[in-house]
Amino acid sequence: MGGIESADVVVIGAGIIGAACAEALSAAGVRVLVLDRAAPAGATTASGEGNVLLSDKQPGPELELAKASRRRWPQLLDEVRELIGPDLAEVEWDPKGGLVVATGADEMGPLAALTAAQRAAGVEVEDLDAGQAREMEPHLTDQLAAVAHYPDDAQVQPVLATAALLAAVRARGGEVHGGVRADGLVTGRSGEVVGVRTGSDAIPCGAVVNACGPWAGHFSETIGAPIDVLPRRGVVLVTAPMPPFVRRKVYAADYVDAVASAEADLQSSAVVESTRSGTVLIGSSRQRVAFDDDLDVEVLRGLARGAIRLFPGLAAVPVMRAYGGFRPYTPDRLPVIGADARVPGLWHATGHEGAGVGLAAATGLLLADLYTGREPVVDPGPFRVDRPEVALEAGS
Amino acid sequence: MRRVVVVGAGPAGRAAAAATAAHGVEVVLVDSAPKLGGQYDRQDTRESGDRFALPSGVEYLPDSVVWAVEPAPGGHRVHVRTGPADSPERAGRALETRALVLATGAYDRSLPFPGWDLPGVYTAGAAQALAKSQGIAVGDRVIVAGTGPFLLPVATVLCSVGARVVAILEANDPVTGWMKRPGGAVAGWGKFGELARYSVLLGHHHVPMVRRSAVIAANGTDRLEAVIASRLDHDWNPVAHTERRFEVDAVAIGFGFTPQLELAVAARCDIEGGFVAVNAAQATSVPGVFAAGEITGIGGAELATHEGTIAGTAAAKLLGARVRVPFRAMRHVRSGRRFAAALQSAYPVRPGWKGWLRDDTLVCRCEEVPYGELRRAVGGLDIGGVRSLKLATRAGLGLCQGRVCGRNVAELAGLADAADGFSRRPVAAPVRLGELAEDTPVESER
Amino acid sequence: MRVRVDGEEFVAEPGETVAAVLRGSGRDAWRTTRIEGRPRGLFCGIGVCFDCLVVVNGVRDVRACLRLVADGDDIRSQGWEEVPS
Ligand SMILES: Cc1cc2nc3c(=O)[nH]c(=O)nc-3n(C[C@H](O)[C@H](O)[C@H](O)COP(=O)(O)OP(=O)(O)OC[C@H]3O[C@@H](n4cnc5c(N)ncnc54)[C@H](O)[C@@H]3O)c2cc1C
Ligand SMILES: Cc1cc2nc3c(=O)[nH]c(=O)nc-3n(C[C@H](O)[C@H](O)[C@H](O)COP(=O)(O)OP(=O)(O)OC[C@H]3O[C@@H](n4cnc5c(N)ncnc54)[C@H](O)[C@@H]3O)c2cc1C
Ligand code: FES
């Protein structure tokens, strides 16, 4: 590790969250260095479907962060494009909108309640009748009880977005190092962060951001400032590339319940969308099974059934791949963003569960706001590190 | 009695099934092809009858693809679809077993060059398979190019279906290569005899073999019209001013083999040096999973057969049968492995092929990723692993799931060590969503 | 056996692959690629490369090199036209 000198802030974890934090800090003139024990954008971020959603969020702090992030993404991408050029900044941003579909009468009431609350919170939602819905999505099932259209739902390719953010960090003089694991902190006299330990070396720095995704809980434990972040497995099916079939992001109304659920057992509900390469992505299951990533055919079966319920024509389409990942999950299902009072100089930015791609832009901004003492983009209170739901006692 | 499941009915899988059955243990032999055979022993599907016989006690499932292997209590669950290839109406089965033998074989490796995506450019395996199973010659005037002794049987079978093989271009210089490894050469003398026979046959047909040469470009607008061949230096860089144009309507390319590893990877078997690691009993690192044939190393049909015999015997033993130790097969395997190692070192793929590419040469055929784009992504973005490489460049994300391009792309991106990452394909073969949605009863061990 | 290739009738033998029938009909390419619109036909011949995809009886993405023909099969080249709803 001879080459690494020092930095103001070391960001640990080069997923989309670490990359967004590093980008925002470097834009504020902070000297950053990003470490990842493996390849940048190779972990959870590589599993993300890349939805930038408002539709799946209940009114509350997460929706506020999501709204800020939805506003921020296009600006952020413009700034990055300016810096690194249009080729490297091509991240497949697509404000294509989303449809939430209730196929059974029993789902109509909950969907109406959700949309009413979201409208009150400032989200744009349009109720569609079956005819309008099928005009937007010609291959949609004709079993339609109710459909809500969210014009502001968008999509981005998470790996390209992370790579572009890291390229921007580099362009501003920051450093990115893959294949370097953070093993612990070096602390000063009063317990404050003065460096990061990597094997037998140390990188001097004034602050550290724990952006280790689903491993953030583990890392926080090794440095004696534990936070409760756990993995929650998700699986996605990918079809063969096909002619245009699904235009927006379309999901079953029971998805919102699955997202909000705290159950450990399998939650599965259909989320269907196409990508620029012609494939259709079918998500998404949620299961707390530690870091077990064996294939489970029953999980795939549930996804297939859900997708066919929304789009019967998908039955004849081949699945060419299935992949899984571990969402970083917190007990109160809110991310952890901010300084950790237990160790001066330690910050966390993690716990975004199934929304880290969408929430990355505002998360980076919020962290940089707090670090530099600027007016925060959203109220940071709900994401505080010392809330009882996430701050664990050392050694517990 | 419990049952063994063998995947693959090539020489290795057939021998494994026969050895298991010989010990009185039930065995299911699953293969995606309509007939027994595998690559080397491929049969003509238009002829009725079967060249190979299986002992009673083997339940053979033709037209049956294993699309997933998942852990099950005490063993594995093997998910099978039976019916016409890629049909949405195949029947599903899920077989549980405590003793799984993987014998999924290998396919040819191809290297990219400008124009290799034109119709008329084939792999050597395609030329062989079309001739053997359909009696079709891929062209009237054909060049066979690449490296390794397997080019000879390919050229021979092409002649037998009426093609004129204009030349065999061998990129290495095998004679001197062999001589450096006398031990391996002696071990493989049987194979040498076979190769000598091919050489004689090719002599009859006046097929010249040119060493240290390769096809480095294919010309044509919508199909192959001609190829450009060049002399190569030791590292396979084209030698200036040695280019020659051949007017041909087909070219068959083979640069060694790539093992079909996805089921072994799904079962979490250790992979070493690109092949499934096995012990003397053909047991993998995972209890209850055995591997035989080309997925454990490239050594030809004979070695595959002996490995299959050992694996089938070991699987029977695991299920409680009293077995005779297959000493003869084990002796053959030891010498066969020496031959295989010698083969590897005599016919390596050397790095000069990267110089054959132009910026617009496709490195991934499925997603049509040109070399220039791959280079730009690797140079400009932070790509340090196969997963992010695939997602950032799309190379390896198409329908073949990196089977054709994986190793090449990994080498071009400087991630050669990570090439195994392309073999992680939990869905080992495409299944239609409707098939996936169906209920499939699980057949636990009887 | 009788089969149709892009609407035209051909005679086929049992045990022939769809690829063999297509070649017999004078074609060596029957798929168009998504991005560049280039012609593709057989490449690996053994089900590995997915270059030879063809539409059989209305179902896309059938590997012509693996699929044996059945009497009455309707075989069509594969492109990227939008699927009718
Ligand atoms: C199947 C699936 C679908 C999803 N779909 C969406 C979606 O559509 N929209 C959306 O917004 N979100 C989605 N998500 C969630 C999203 O992917 C995650 O919230 C997000 O990627 C988390 O990013 P991260 O940077 O926190 O974590 P990661 O991407 O996991 O990054 C953490 C990094 O930290 C590194 N690291 C860990 N420990 C150390 C250490 N000690 N030293 C150095 N490095 C270390 C790891 O190597 C890793 O690269 C999905 C997730 C899954 C699994
Ligand atoms: C072009 C070419 C020429 C060759 N020439 C020779 C030669 O002349 N001499 C020689 O000794 N060797 C030759 N070989 C090598 C030959 O492949 C091996 O020697 C021999 O066939 C290996 O036997 P195997 O049993 O390991 O695998 P294979 O014969 O490859 O059999 C593997 C079987 O597994 C099946 N299978 C794979 N995956 C699945 C799945 N998921 N579900 C169901 N079934 C599956 C396949 O359908 C196949 O039938 C050649 C190979 C090729 C490609
Ligand atoms: S030619 Fe390769 S899959 Fe058919």
Side-chain angles (χ1 to χ4, degrees):
Chain A
M1 285 303 323
I4 302 184
E5 309 260 291
S6 70
D8 296 336
V9 178
V10 172
V11 176
I12 303 172
I16 197 157
I17 297 296
C21 291
E23 191 285 332
L25 287 166
S26 70
V30 179
R31 255 180 348 122
V32 292
L33 189 151
V34 186
L35 294 185
D36 200 293
R37 61 177 178 194
T44 322
T45 296
S47 303
E49 286 161 276
N51 294 303
V52 179
L53 300 186
L54 303 178
S55 51
D56 66 340
K57 304 203 170 50
Q58 309 270 3
E62 198 194 8
L63 179 59
E64 292 312 307
L65 190 64
K67 278 163 42 192
S69 217
R70 176 61 182 84
R71 282 194 299 272
R72 177 65 189 147
W73 264 118
Q75 301 164 354
L76 176 58
L77 292 176
D78 284 345
E79 291 165 22
V80 168
R81 191 173 308 111
E82 196 71 13
L83 201 61
I84 63 173
D87 278 353
L88 292 181
E90 174 46 54
V91 300
E92 300 181 9
W93 171 258
D94 188 358
K96 61 184 180 185
L99 291 189
V100 177
V101 174
T103 48
D106 53 331
E107 292 165 2
M108 288 173 70
L111 181 60
L114 176 70
T115 52
Q118 286 170 325
R119 258 187 213 110
V123 176
E124 200 180 329
V125 197
E126 197 187 345
D127 296 324
L128 304 183
D129 62 31
Q132 291 168 314
R134 284 172 58 89
E135 206 162 290
M136 280 190 171
E137 291 292 342
H139 300 279
L140 199 60
T141 173
D142 46 22
Q143 308 288 306
L144 293 172
V147 181
H149 174 222
Y150 294 80
D152 286 334
D153 280 358
Q155 190 171 26
V156 68
Q157 211 271 30
V159 169
L160 291 176
T162 305
L165 293 171
L166 293 174
V169 169
R170 283 225 168 96
R172 297 198 186 102
E175 290 182 57
V176 182
H177 296 274
V180 181
R181 195 181 65 219
D183 294 314
L185 300 179
V186 186
T187 44
R189 255 199 215 131
S190 42
E192 81 283 9
V193 173
V194 297
V196 174
R197 256 189 324 105
T198 63
S200 52
D201 286 304
I203 305 166
C205 63
V208 159
V209 181
N210 171 17
C212 292
W215 302 274
H218 177 259
F219 180 72
S220 67
E221 217 175 282
T222 60
I223 57 176
I227 53 172
D228 200 3
V229 177
L230 292 168
R232 197 181 188 198
R233 177 151 167 78
V235 176
V236 174
L237 295 175
V238 187
T239 71
M242 56 189 291
F245 189 84
V246 182
R247 297 175 183 172
R248 292 170 183 75
K249 175 199 168 71
V250 179
Y251 57 93
D254 61 357
Y255 174 77
V256 181
D257 296 334
V259 173
S261 162
E263 298 290 309
D265 338 336
L266 174 63
Q267 308 274 317
S268 181
S269 61
V271 184
V272 181
E273 70 203 296
S274 55
T275 65
R276 205 166 280 190
S277 60
T279 58
V280 173
L281 303 185
I282 297 165
S284 85
S285 58
R286 301 184 127 72
Q287 205 177 5
R288 285 198 348 239
V289 286
F291 281 109
D292 175 3
D293 72 347
D294 276 328
L295 176 85
D296 184 339
V297 169
E298 270 316 305
V299 172
L300 306 190
R301 179 156 296 136
L303 293 175
R305 286 182 178 161
I308 294 171
R309 211 173 298 133
L310 290 176
F311 291 96
L314 283 176
V317 175
V319 173
M320 65 172 181
R321 177 165 80 242
Y323 64 81
F326 299 95
R327 306 183 180 89
Y329 173 89
T330 59
D332 62 358
R333 300 181 337 277
L334 286 178
V336 187
I337 307 164
D340 190 328
R342 296 170 291 187
V343 181
L346 173 63
W347 297 70
H348 302 280
T350 185
H352 294 77
E353 221 258 304
V357 179
L359 298 177
T363 298
L365 196 57
L366 177 60
L367 187 104
D369 290 344
L370 296 171
Y371 182 85
T372 57
R374 292 188 305 228
E375 172 79 15
V377 58
V378 294
D379 172 14
F383 311 113
R384 298 168 60 100
V385 180
D386 62 2
R387 61 191 202 259
E389 292 84 353
V390 293
L392 301 172
E393 266 172 55
S396 71
Chain B
M1 196 66 187
R2 299 179 159 120
R3 100 191 125 205
V4 173
V5 174
V6 178
V7 186
R14 292 196 315 277
T20 304
H23 289 95
V25 176
E26 268 182 48
V27 50
V28 184
L29 174 62
V30 192
D31 196 297
S32 48
K35 276 186 158 181
L36 294 167
Q39 301 308 340
Y40 175 54
D41 292 330
R42 184 178 293 277
Q43 303 194 61
D44 193 326
T45 51
R46 299 164 309 164
E47 286 168 5
S48 55
D50 206 304
R51 245 169 54 211
F52 304 101
L54 290 171
S56 61
V58 179
E59 184 190 350
Y60 166 47
L61 307 181
D63 286 317
S64 298
V65 66
V66 174
W67 68 271
V69 167
E70 65 178 332
H76 290 85
R77 196 173 300 134
V78 179
H79 291 268
V80 182
R81 303 289 312 176
T82 300
D86 293 329
S87 158
E89 276 132 31
R90 297 172 292 188
R93 285 177 80 173
L95 305 168
E96 287 189 347
T97 180
R98 289 201 311 136
L100 174 62
V101 179
L102 299 175
T104 48
Y107 54 89
D108 333 39
R109 176 172 182 188
S110 23
L111 296 177
F113 51 84
W116 74 309
D117 50 324
L118 285 170
V121 178
Y122 302 91
T123 67
Q128 196 188 45
L130 251 79
K132 283 189 174 177
S133 89
Q134 302 285 302
I136 290 177
V138 288
D140 295 328
R141 288 172 52 83
V142 186
I143 280 200
V144 176
T147 190
F150 297 115
L151 299 180
L152 299 184
V154 170
T156 309
V157 77
L158 275 169
C159 293
S160 77
V161 288
R164 160 123 173 68
V165 177
V166 176
I168 300 175
L169 308 183
E170 163 60 63
N172 279 301
D173 203 350
V175 173
T176 49
W178 265 136
M179 294 312 174
K180 289 186 199 135
R181 287 296 205 94
V186 171
W189 66 270
K191 184 66 59 180
F192 258 158
E194 186 186 327
L195 295 180
R197 271 199 311 283
Y198 289 128
S199 299
V200 171
L201 278 172
L202 292 170
H204 281 316
H205 290 284
H206 306 287
V207 176
M209 155 97 110
V210 190
R211 300 179 202 290
R212 288 254 173 112
S213 328
V215 167
I216 58 162
N219 296 344
T221 41
D222 280 338
R223 83 164 324 283
L224 178 72
E225 285 157 18
V227 297
I228 306 297
S230 169
R231 294 267 306 159
L232 303 179
D233 69 11
H234 175 267
D235 287 329
W236 292 14
N237 300 304
V239 175
H241 313 302
T242 62
E243 289 189 2
R244 243 185 97 185
R245 186 182 151 94
F246 290 92
E247 310 244 331
V248 289
D249 59 348
V251 57
I253 305 290
F255 288 93
F257 299 97
T258 301
Q260 198 113 39
L261 292 179
E262 46 280 271
L263 296 181
V265 169
R268 296 178 170 271
C269 302
D270 283 351
I271 308 295
E272 271 169 25
F275 295 96
V276 183
V278 289
N279 67 13
Q282 301 297 132
T284 69
S285 61
V286 176
V289 182
F290 302 85
E294 308 280 62
I295 58 170
T296 70
I298 303 303
E302 210 180 299
L303 175 60
T305 303
H306 294 303
E307 290 190 352
T309 301
I310 298 169
T313 307
K317 178 163 186 275
L318 182 75
L319 297 194
R322 289 172 64 100
V323 303
R324 296 169 298 279
V325 179
F327 287 116
R328 202 180 76 89
M330 290 169 86
R331 210 168 47 242
H332 279 293
V333 166
R334 278 195 300 274
S335 63
R337 293 245 170 90
R338 277 202 296 282
F339 171 71
L343 202 73
Q344 287 268 28
S345 65
Y347 298 97
V349 169
R350 299 191 188 275
W353 65 268
K354 297 174 196 165
W356 309 348
L357 309 184
R358 294 191 309 238
D359 266 2
D360 63 353
T361 306
L362 298 187
V363 289
C364 167
R365 300 168 66 94
C366 297
E367 290 297 309
E368 300 170 82
V369 180
Y371 178 48
E373 214 166 276
L374 180 85
R375 259 206 341 230
R376 213 175 34 187
V378 171
L381 301 171
D382 288 285
I383 291 167
V386 164
R387 205 169 173 190
S388 40
L389 174 69
K390 289 201 289 192
L391 289 161
T393 64
R394 305 212 46 76
L397 275 188
L399 256 165
C400 93
Q401 291 288 290
R403 285 174 173 87
V404 176
C405 70
R407 282 166 79 177
N408 301 337
V409 166
E411 264 176 51
L412 289 169
L415 298 170
D417 299 343
D420 294 352
F422 280 95
S423 296
R424 239 189 98 78
R425 303 181 189 104
V427 176
V431 279
R432 310 266 168 188
L433 272 163
E435 296 181 281
L436 194 47
E438 244 174 55
D439 260 323
T440 309
V442 173
E443 300 168 43
S444 40
E445 285 182 306
R446 283 159 274 191
Chain C
M1 301 197 308
R2 294 188 169 280
V3 299
R4 299 178 81 80
V5 177
D6 285 331
E8 198 185 334
E9 196 156 295
F10 288 89
V11 175
E13 264 183 81
E16 264 191 285
T17 61
V18 168
V21 171
L22 283 159
R23 288 181 69 97
S25 79
R27 292 165 171 78
D28 57 13
W30 46 82
R31 181 173 80 93
T32 317
T33 63
R34 186 170 53 85
I35 299 167
E36 302 285 344
R38 299 287 297 154
R40 294 278 175 88
L42 288 174
F43 177 61
C44 76
I46 56 171
V48 170
C49 73
F50 294 79
D51 251 359
C52 64
L53 299 178
V54 68
V55 183
V56 178
N57 302 329
V59 177
R60 289 172 63 86
D61 297 327
V62 173
R63 282 168 285 179
C65 67
L66 294 185
R67 181 67 164 268
L68 301 185
V69 280
D71 196 20
D73 270 350
D74 179 40
I75 301 164
R76 292 183 181 274
S77 31
Q78 178 163 319
W80 295 93
E81 308 75 42
E82 184 147 3
V83 192
S85 52

